[in-house]
């Protein structure tokens, strides 16, 4: 009985670890996509690249601080 419980706990820990790892990768990909699209967004909105960078900087600060 104890071995079965410890095996379940170990499998649960491994599943959670891989789940968190996958989510971390997804968040990184989401953030990485914004960099190459910055010049295109600036040209579509007729704004300077620095202004668009500031928008993303403020968004990153808000993401860091939380809701």
């Amino acid at each position: 009985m104890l071995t079965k419980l410890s095996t379940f706990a170990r499998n649960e820990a491994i599943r959670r670890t891989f789940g968190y790892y996958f989510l971390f990768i997804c968040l990184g990909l989401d953030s990485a996509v914004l960099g190459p699209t910055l010049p295109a967004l600036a040209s579509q909105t007729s704004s300077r690249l620095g202004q668009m960078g500031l928008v993303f900087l403020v968004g990153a600060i808000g993401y860091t601080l939380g809701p």
Side-chain angles (χ1 to χ4, degrees):
M1 179 72 177
L2 185 60
T3 306
K4 189 175 184 180
L5 183 60
S6 64
T7 303
F8 176 76
R10 182 171 180 248
N11 289 341
E12 180 69 21
I14 290 172
R15 243 184 307 147
R16 284 186 185 211
T17 300
F18 281 121
Y20 289 139
Y21 183 72
F22 178 72
L23 290 175
F24 186 74
I25 296 292
C26 289
L27 284 174
L29 288 175
D30 182 47
S31 299
V33 162
L34 296 177
T37 61
L38 199 58
L41 289 172
S43 68
Q44 283 183 343
T45 59
S46 301
S47 60
R48 293 185 320 225
L49 191 59
Q51 290 172 328
M52 291 304 294
L54 185 62
V55 168
F56 286 110
L57 175 66
V58 170
I61 290 171
Y63 179 79
T64 303
L65 295 177

